[in-house]
Amino acid sequence: MRMSSLFLRTLREDPADAELPGHRLLVRAGYIRRAAPGIYTWLPLGLKVLRRVETIVREEMDAIGAQELTFPALLPREPYEATNRWTEYGDNIFRLKDRKGVDYLLGPTHEEMFTLAVKDLYSSYKDLPLSIYQIQNKYRDEARPRAGLLRGREFVMKDSYSFDVSDEGLQASYDAHRAAYIRIFDRLGFEYVIVAAMSGAMGGSASEEFLAVSAIGEDTFVRNDSGSYAANVEAVVVAQAAAVDASGTPAAHVEDTPDTPTIETLVAALNANHAREDGREWTAADTLKNVIVMLVHPDGTREPLAIGVPGDREVDAKRLEAQVSPAEVEAFDEKDFAANPTLAKGYIGPGVLGEERSSGIRYLLDPSIAEGSAWVTGADEHGKHVLDLVHGRDFTADGTIQAAEVRDGDPSPDGDGVLHTARGIEMGHIFQLGRKFAEALDLKVLDENGKLVTVTMGSYGIGVSRAVAAIAEGNLDESGLCWPRNVTPADVHVVATGKNRDRDGSVFDKADELTAALEAQGLEVLYDDREKVSPGVKFKDSELIGVPTIVVVGKSLENGVVEIKDRRTGERREVAVDEVVDEVLREVRGDASGATKAGA
RNA sequence: CGGGGUAUGGCGCAGCUUGGUAGCGCGUCCGCUUUGGGAGCGGAAGGUCGCCAGUUCGAAUCUGGCUACCCCGACCA
C-alpha cells in the first residue's frame, strides 16, 4: 500500500462524537468513518484488519470441519413468524416492505435460516453431524447504539450451528467449537475469560461466554482466585443455604415502627427502640426486603412478582431479567399499588405474599435465606414490622429465585474461596440449543430404525467487528494504535523521510527497493512514499496507524543504515541496509505469537 | 423510554448575552522558502449558520414549534 495514493486521511484532532480511546483512534487514524448512528464505513486500513480477524476465525472454523456459507441479510418474514420472533424481537428488528407491501427484515440473527436450510437439504441421520457457519452483517435497531463498533446497529458476526442426532453428538460438536474458540481468541491476542452464561430466550442448557477482560466492558462477571469458577453475573447460581435450628427463636411478634418505609430507617428505629438480646446492633442484613416488580410476558399479559432478599442486598436487574426471560421487567408503580390494596408500601411482608395468600402474588426468595433463619420484615400495615419471623415456621414462599446482587467477596458457588467481580466485553457465546428450536421448525431426520427423530442443535457466535474494536481498545497508547501482529493492517510500515524525489532521490530509491524486497517476501507493506510531507508528519502518522514494525529510511542512509522501530516499545535500532529484509522478516515471523504458530 | 447536552465550510471550535458585511485553528489548492518529530510567509477555494414559522427595516443571534446527533441511565451481541 502506497500512502501517496492510499485512500486515507488522518485527523489531527479527536472526532467530537467518539468517546472511547480506541474508537477515537480508529477514526483519527482513518480506519473507519461513521455513516449513521451505530453504522460504520470500513476504510481500506480498517477493512484490512477486519479481513485478518475474519481469516483467523475462518481458518479455525474450517479446521474443525465447519463449512462456510452465506445467507442473505435481507430476509423474508415467514420463518421468523414460525418461531414467533417476528413479534418477540419487537422494535429491535429492522423491518421493511417491498413494493407489493410484503414484509421483510434485516437479519438480526439467522437461526431460522440455518435450520430451514438443513431441513431443506437433509433428511437422514447419515447426513449428520453437520456444522455450518457464515460471517455476515447483522442488523439490530438498538435503542441506543454506543461505543462505536462495540455496539453498532450493523455489525459483522460469525455464527455457526451444529446439527446432531444425539445428545452425545451435540456435546462433541460443542466441545469442538469451544476448542476452536480458544484457538481463535488466543490468536486474536487479547486477555479473555470463559464464563458460565445464560443461554438466553431460546432456551438450551450448557452455555459459555468468551469475555475480553476490559474495564469498559458492559458485562459483569465473577471468578474465584483459583480459576475453578467463572461466570457471568447473570448466571451465578447461589447455593441454597442450609437449614438452621430455630428452636431458640421466640415467637414472631409485631412491633410499632413508625416512619420506617426504607431499610435504612428501619434499622435505625430498631437500634433505637428494640435492642437485640445478644447485644449486637441490628444491621440491614437482619431484615428481609420484599421487592415487587411487574412482569410483562411476550403475549402482553402482566403479572406481579414479589422477591424476598436480605435487606443489605439489592435485586440485580440483569440477574432478574435473565431469570424471568422472555418476560420483561417493569417497575411496580403507584397504579399497581392502588390495584393491590393488601400491599402496604414500605411495609410489605410475607403475610400477604404468595399465590395462596391475600395478595395472590407469586413470592420467591433468595436462596441465601435459610430455613429456620429469623427476620425482621414488614407486617403489611403502615408503621409496623414483625420481628423473629422464621422462614419455614412462620412463613413460606412459592420458591426461590437467583436475582439478588452478587458481590465481591461472596463465597464461590463451587466452594473454593470467594468471588471477585470484573468487567468484560462479550466476544463469543457458545451454547447447546438442544431440540427446542428444531421442534419449532420441525427439523427431523430418519434414524437407523427408520424413525423420525428431532435434530439437536448448538449455536455459536463471535462478534467479528466487535473484536476489531475490542483489540483496538486494548492495544493503544497516547500516540495511537499498536496492533498485535496477527491483525495488523500491514506487517511493516516503511517511511521514506524525504520530501522531494528530485532532491532526496536516493532515499526514495532505497525505500522503493526495500518495499519491493519485503513484498517479494510475502509481507504486506504500508509504504509512506508521500512527497511534500515533512518527516514529523510521517512519524506521527506511523504511530497513529500503529503497524507494529516501522522502518525509517532517511538521513542515516549516508552511513549505510536504516532504522527499525518497534511501535509498542518505542525501541529503535540501526540496521545495515543489506540486512534489513532479514531483520524485518525475523521480527514479523519470530514475534508472531499465536497466528502463524497456532495456525500451523 | 427518562435525564443532560449539542447543532456554524472536510475536521475541531468561537460568534448568540447586547440583532447590522459569518470568523479562528487544522485540513485542501497555488507560489516561494524550509527539510528527522504534526514547518514559515504570501495568495486561494470552500458555509442554505439543523428545519419550519414568527418578531423586525434587518435574524447565526430574539420567540415558538419540529428534527437530528452525542453523553448518562433503562433495554439488548
Side-chain angles (χ1 to χ4, degrees):
Chain A
M1 290 179 279
R2 301 290 189 274
M3 285 183 71
S4 56
S5 56
L6 183 64
F7 187 52
L8 171 76
R9 174 115 302 135
T10 57
L11 304 177
R12 190 183 295 217
E13 285 167 284
D14 279 331
D17 59 357
E19 205 57 26
L20 296 176
H23 181 208
R24 277 205 292 264
L25 290 171
L26 285 171
V27 175
R28 267 191 65 200
Y31 285 78
I32 59 171
R33 299 290 289 180
R34 196 188 73 104
I39 301 176
Y40 290 85
T41 300
W42 295 88
L43 297 173
L45 282 182
L47 191 58
K48 289 267 182 199
V49 177
L50 182 69
R51 293 286 185 245
R52 294 194 70 162
V53 173
E54 285 181 5
T55 298
I56 289 173
V57 171
R58 191 170 278 124
E59 285 174 2
E60 297 297 344
M61 293 310 298
D62 291 346
I64 61 167
Q67 299 173 62
E68 184 172 7
L69 47 68
T70 302
F71 287 106
L74 179 60
L75 299 169
R77 168 178 174 166
E78 291 74 33
Y80 288 80
E81 199 65 82
T83 52
N84 206 29
R85 296 213 285 188
W86 176 262
T87 311
E88 272 180 23
Y89 257 100
D91 288 337
N92 277 332
I93 214 167
F94 278 105
R95 298 158 202 269
L96 55 163
K97 288 180 190 296
D98 70 6
R99 61 172 71 203
K100 295 177 193 157
V102 177
D103 285 316
Y104 286 83
L105 65 129
L106 292 176
T109 173
H110 284 80
E111 279 90 350
E112 285 81 356
M113 301 308 291
F114 274 93
T115 309
L116 290 173
V118 173
K119 182 179 171 180
D120 189 24
L121 298 178
Y122 277 6
S123 53
S124 161
Y125 75 97
K126 291 180 189 168
D127 296 323
L128 304 182
L130 170 72
S131 284
I132 45 182
Y133 75 98
Q134 65 171 347
I135 296 174
Q136 239 287 19
N137 281 354
K138 306 283 184 185
Y139 297 86
R140 297 193 191 168
D141 191 3
E142 288 282 331
R144 185 159 96 79
R146 70 185 87 180
L149 296 173
L150 278 180
R151 176 167 302 284
R153 295 196 296 171
E154 177 185 80
F155 55 98
V156 181
M157 183 170 161
K158 186 286 298 179
D159 54 332
S160 41
Y161 295 86
S162 65
F163 300 85
D164 285 274
V165 253
S166 68
D167 293 347
E168 296 73 34
L170 170 57
Q171 187 64 45
S173 296
Y174 181 89
D175 292 342
H177 271 89
R178 191 179 195 275
Y181 273 39
I182 288 171
R183 286 191 292 273
I184 289 167
F185 291 113
D186 283 347
R187 288 177 66 180
L188 290 178
F190 40 44
E191 187 192 354
Y192 66 94
V193 56
I194 304 173
V195 303
M198 299 297 289
S199 47
M202 280 320 291
S205 46
S207 172
E208 290 171 291
E209 284 171 347
F210 288 70
L211 301 180
V213 179
S214 167
I216 60 163
E218 292 185 284
D219 284 273
T220 304
F221 69 95
V222 295
R223 57 180 161 181
N224 63 359
D225 289 315
S226 73
S228 65
Y229 184 86
N232 190 305
V233 74
E234 294 171 14
V236 171
V237 177
V238 176
Q240 177 62 51
V244 296
D245 178 23
S247 57
T249 308
H253 47 107
V254 174
E255 302 288 349
D256 285 324
T257 52
D259 301 320
T260 56
T262 65
I263 295 293
E264 202 171 46
T265 52
L266 172 61
V267 170
L270 289 170
N271 281 321
N273 306 318
H274 303 278
R276 290 176 61 94
E277 296 195 354
D278 60 9
R280 171 171 82 72
E281 293 253 300
W282 292 100
T283 70
D286 297 313
T287 68
L288 173 61
K289 176 162 62 181
N290 298 298
V291 178
I292 318 280
V293 296
M294 186 61 81
L295 301 186
V296 182
H297 293 284
D299 63 4
T301 59
R302 298 165 69 83
E303 177 202 355
L305 174 68
I307 299 154
V309 296
D312 62 334
R313 289 192 190 248
E314 298 299 326
V315 170
D316 182 316
K318 289 201 164 180
R319 275 168 60 72
L320 175 59
E321 294 263 1
Q323 291 297 320
V324 301
S325 173
E328 293 188 7
V329 177
E330 284 185 8
F332 198 80
D333 61 24
E334 294 301 332
K335 277 200 304 285
D336 296 318
F337 272 106
N340 290 273
T342 60
L343 300 176
K345 194 180 180 190
Y347 302 90
I348 299 168
V352 298
L353 298 174
E355 289 170 337
E356 306 300 320
R357 296 181 196 275
S358 59
S359 69
I361 295 174
R362 192 152 59 103
Y363 181 42
L364 302 174
L365 281 181
D366 184 70
S368 71
I369 294 169
E371 198 144 311
S373 57
W375 299 89
V376 178
T377 190
D380 301 306
E381 208 177 318
H382 279 279
K384 289 185 195 296
H385 279 85
V386 55
L387 280 65
D388 292 317
L389 193 76
V390 172
H391 178 213
R393 181 187 76 182
D394 304 321
F395 75 98
T396 56
D398 299 314
T400 60
I401 186 166
Q402 297 284 342
E405 62 175 325
V406 174
R407 287 198 297 236
D408 236 86
D410 282 354
S412 176
D414 72 350
D416 182 3
V418 298
L419 296 176
H420 302 287
T421 62
R423 308 279 283 174
I425 302 167
E426 184 181 347
M427 301 306 314
H429 193 168
I430 55 177
F431 66 101
Q432 300 186 12
L433 267 178
R435 296 191 169 80
K436 203 169 159 183
F437 212 97
E439 266 159 23
L441 290 164
D442 196 34
L443 172 60
K444 292 182 173 149
V445 294
L446 291 169
D447 69 6
E448 300 94 317
N449 307 313
K451 284 200 318 205
L452 275 177
V453 292
T454 302
V455 169
T456 184
M457 296 168 56
S459 166
Y460 319 90
I462 289 180
V464 175
S465 48
R466 176 180 281 186
V468 173
I471 293 166
E473 295 297 339
N475 294 278
L476 51 81
D477 61 23
E478 55 291 338
S479 309
L481 297 160
C482 309
W483 294 107
R485 290 217 178 275
N486 288 347
V487 298
T488 176
D491 298 306
V492 54
H493 186 158
V494 174
V495 176
T497 62
K499 257 183 113 167
N500 185 321
R501 274 191 186 265
D502 293 338
R503 212 193 53 248
D504 308 308
S506 62
V507 167
F508 282 97
D509 289 347
K510 182 48 73 179
D512 288 350
E513 197 182 298
L514 181 57
T515 297
L518 290 167
E519 284 174 341
Q521 292 294 322
L523 297 189
E524 179 84 54
V525 182
L526 179 62
Y527 175 25
D528 197 341
D529 61 338
R530 291 176 292 177
E531 293 191 75
K532 297 178 185 171
V533 173
S534 65
V537 172
K538 292 183 178 179
F539 292 144
K540 290 286 184 194
D541 276 348
S542 71
E543 281 152 16
L544 185 58
I545 290 166
V547 170
T549 298
I550 300 162
V551 175
V552 180
V553 180
K555 252 183 181 172
S556 55
L557 202 57
E558 294 165 9
N559 308 319
V561 296
V562 300
E563 207 172 87
I564 297 186
K565 214 162 59 165
D566 184 294
R567 171 63 185 92
R568 193 174 293 268
T569 64
E571 178 208 337
R572 314 188 211 184
R573 59 208 169 87
E574 296 197 324
V575 177
V577 173
D578 49 8
E579 291 169 15
V580 180
V581 173
D582 286 343
E583 199 55 36
V584 169
L585 281 173
R586 209 166 300 141
E587 292 227 353
V588 171
R589 301 221 163 115
D591 190 43
S593 55
T596 32
K597 273 188 250 166

